[in-house]
Amino acid sequence: MSIVVTSPIVDARPSPCQVLSVPASAGSHYLYRPLVTLTGMTTTTPSAPSPSSVPTTSKDPGTDNRPGRVLAAVLAAQFMALLDVFIVNVAAPTIRTDLHASGAGLQLVIAGYTITYAVLLITGARLGERLGHRRVYLAGLAVFTAASLACGLSQSTGQLIAFRLAQGAGSALLIPQVLSIIQRTFSGEARVRALGAYSAVLATGAAAGQVLGGVLVSADLFSAGWRPVFLVNVPVGVVLLVLAARVLPADGPSPAGRARGLDLPGLVLLGAAVTLFTVPLVLGEQEGWPLWTWLSLAACAVFLALFCGYESRLARRGGAPLISPRLLRAPGMGVAVFRLAAVMAVNAGFLFALTLHVQGGLGYSALRAGLTFAPSALVFGAVGLTWRRWPGALQRALVPGGFALAAVGSLAVGLLLRDGGDGGVGLYAALVGAGAGMALGFSPVLTRALATVAPQDAADASGFLATVTQLGQVTGVAVFGALFLGQLDAPEAPGAYASADALLVCSCALAAAAALGAVSGLVRMRR
């Protein structure tokens, strides 16, 4: 149920009602500028980018620019990158056994992809502006494919973590270009249909990842265990590289891209802050929270302050900061950042802990575990795609109601599984409720937050909130994963009962975090 959110489209400036929406699928997650309808607004087809803001697209004699093939190429890559987030979750227990990974190591395998993806997201989008979307798309796809091969051949937890970081870097180059290419290739009704196909990919990717991961791990192809969940990307990636090189339209740097720098100092400071924050969260519980973990968290605050100060000075000088301070002053942005981080943390922590329980505690096969999560993932996607069509009287209550539903669903899962059983039909009802609640706590918040920013900041705002959602997922895996594993390492009862007790404690913490999101929503609604 976790969501991966993509970066901004930086080659077109939308009108105020052309804000970004997330047709959210479960799991990680992608943010871009599909059409939205807010209360009191009408759905609007994005206008064609002006020549001054978009690099020219030329018909290269060596390419086949038929729109259908262009769409197939970019959406297949989008689907592959999305799949990779969820397919690894199902394989996590097998990876832990085969590589003798510690709990912290396993968390870094899951979260490492998201860390580099989150940090490099905005930079990847700007590289598309500066170098051309086609060129950066191909480079990102090549890096992702090569890193997938390396992941599948890894012989230790350390190697797998390193190559997962490289996978995230490849996605940060690849994914920001997808919708930019769609916007440049299609217009009018064709663009609406292309965005519909894009939304369908997002809505089905999570469920497909869970199920395919279960199939591949359970099949144990060539006695390779978990390795096919990474190696499956290699032939697909090679085919897409050949296809994309043939069909994607040639382009060049945009005038805006030449004018906007990459803000490398800001990138270094943000990367340091993120690393100093995530590493002690992931390793602290296992190491007994030694002094260095607290010093690292304190250093994170220092680097974050340095980052904010540098970004402010760069903005005052007329530069192009990685995150514009003006975004943080947009109405409701602070509350939106809290809500998005909270729902993503709950989402990622819930999925991580429950995956370990059903496979490690209940002994489910990877396939059965994937199928267990599929209804929740599909409901998450369906709610994310349809909430704008719900009655206007419900719109104001969607966010607090969604967080409350997520809290109830998370707690119900822990209670239903507390005796070491499978939870019966009630488990699926609780999972569906949790998935629907998390979708309502995510999509409306993101859409409305982006509606409040100035049109010229819409692209950077999407990148900023995309980074927030990714860091929320990292935090959720680290904090709630450490809580679950900490309870599991000191069991009072063996087997499924110890795992069920650990899950119940984790579910209570998840419900409390979701309740905080509900309270923040109620405060905002009164205002």
Side-chain angles (χ1 to χ4, degrees):
M1 287 183 303
S2 134
I3 302 178
V4 180
V5 183
T6 59
S7 70
I9 306 174
V10 293
D11 63 350
R13 302 295 179 187
S15 68
C17 62
Q18 291 167 356
V19 294
L20 294 131
S21 165
V22 177
S25 61
S28 251
H29 283 244
Y30 286 64
L31 167 65
Y32 261 124
R33 192 162 55 238
L35 311 179
V36 306
T37 303
L38 298 179
T39 304
M41 289 187 182
T42 57
T43 304
T44 306
T45 302
S47 58
S50 65
S52 62
S53 64
V54 182
T56 57
T57 301
S58 60
K59 173 69 175 179
D60 189 321
T63 63
D64 176 1
N65 299 145
R66 279 179 278 187
R69 297 188 179 188
V70 172
L71 185 63
V74 296
L75 290 187
Q78 175 88 56
F79 185 79
M80 181 175 69
L82 176 61
L83 203 71
D84 200 68
V85 178
F86 305 103
I87 205 171
V88 176
N89 283 327
V90 178
T94 308
I95 293 173
R96 186 180 191 183
T97 301
D98 188 46
L99 295 182
H100 307 289
S102 64
L106 187 63
Q107 287 171 299
L108 284 173
V109 169
I110 301 294
Y113 178 95
T114 307
I115 291 172
T116 50
Y117 179 82
V119 172
L120 298 176
L121 196 63
I122 300 174
T123 299
R126 290 194 179 177
L127 284 172
E129 278 190 315
R130 292 174 64 85
L131 303 177
H133 299 296
R134 178 179 184 270
R135 183 179 301 171
V136 177
Y137 172 96
L138 292 172
L141 182 56
V143 170
F144 181 87
T145 303
S148 296
L149 175 62
C151 285
L153 299 178
S154 295
Q155 299 301 311
S156 68
T157 305
Q159 290 179 12
L160 184 55
I161 292 169
F163 295 132
R164 283 286 283 170
L165 293 170
Q167 266 193 322
S171 287
L173 293 175
L174 168 67
I175 298 305
Q177 319 313 322
V178 170
L179 210 64
S180 292
I181 292 173
I182 290 176
Q183 293 240 129
R184 291 155 45 84
T185 306
F186 299 91
S187 61
E189 287 301 317
R191 182 182 292 175
V192 174
R193 290 192 296 271
L195 290 174
Y198 174 82
S199 298
V201 166
L202 303 186
T204 58
Q210 299 281 7
V211 174
L212 180 59
V215 169
L216 290 174
V217 173
S218 297
D220 194 17
L221 299 173
F222 308 107
S223 300
W226 53 270
R227 298 180 187 277
V229 303
F230 296 108
L231 296 177
V232 70
N233 293 330
V234 178
V236 177
V238 170
V239 170
L240 286 178
L241 278 169
V242 175
L243 176 64
R246 175 67 183 168
V247 305
L248 293 188
D251 62 0
S254 70
R258 296 189 187 99
R260 288 158 60 90
L262 293 179
D263 188 15
L264 293 180
L267 176 63
V268 170
L269 290 171
L270 179 61
V274 170
T275 302
L276 290 167
F277 176 71
T278 54
V279 170
L281 283 182
V282 171
L283 301 179
E285 191 278 332
Q286 177 179 286
E287 300 293 329
W289 295 103
L291 178 62
W292 71 263
T293 59
W294 301 107
L295 292 176
S296 179
L297 290 172
C300 166
V302 172
F303 272 89
L304 188 60
L306 291 173
F307 171 76
C308 292
Y310 173 79
E311 296 292 280
S312 296
R313 290 192 299 273
L314 182 61
R316 286 195 298 269
R317 295 198 304 265
L322 201 64
I323 299 174
S324 172
R326 186 170 57 235
L327 295 177
L328 303 180
R329 296 191 293 268
M333 184 60 70
V335 176
V337 167
F338 173 79
R339 292 173 184 163
L340 291 173
V343 74
M344 287 295 97
V346 171
N347 192 33
F350 180 78
L351 182 62
F352 183 78
L354 189 57
T355 299
L356 293 182
H357 173 66
V358 298
Q359 290 189 254
L362 299 183
Y364 284 12
S365 68
L367 177 58
R368 185 177 177 184
L371 292 173
T372 298
F373 296 125
S376 180
L378 291 174
V379 168
F380 197 118
V383 171
L385 287 169
T386 61
W387 68 268
R388 293 181 297 275
R389 304 189 189 100
W390 295 10
L394 298 177
Q395 294 294 321
R396 289 173 60 83
L398 287 183
V399 174
F403 274 106
L405 184 58
V408 171
S410 300
L411 183 59
V413 168
L415 291 172
L416 287 166
L417 297 175
R418 70 186 184 279
D419 60 354
D422 62 7
V425 177
L427 175 64
Y428 292 96
L431 287 171
V432 167
M438 291 179 198
L440 291 175
F442 179 76
S443 290
V445 172
L446 187 60
T447 299
R448 293 165 183 170
L450 287 164
T452 66
V453 301
Q456 64 269 26
D457 292 329
D460 286 346
S462 69
F464 168 61
L465 294 179
T467 301
V468 168
T469 59
Q470 298 307 299
L471 294 181
Q473 290 188 74
V474 173
T475 303
V477 171
V479 172
F480 297 111
L483 178 62
F484 176 84
L485 293 168
Q487 294 292 318
L488 198 61
D489 287 341
E492 296 181 358
Y497 292 100
S499 180
D501 288 342
L503 181 66
L504 180 58
V505 172
C506 191
S507 295
C508 291
L510 289 164
L516 288 177
V519 171
S520 70
L522 287 172
V523 170
R524 183 66 184 168
M525 187 170 66
R526 289 195 189 102
R527 290 179 181 176

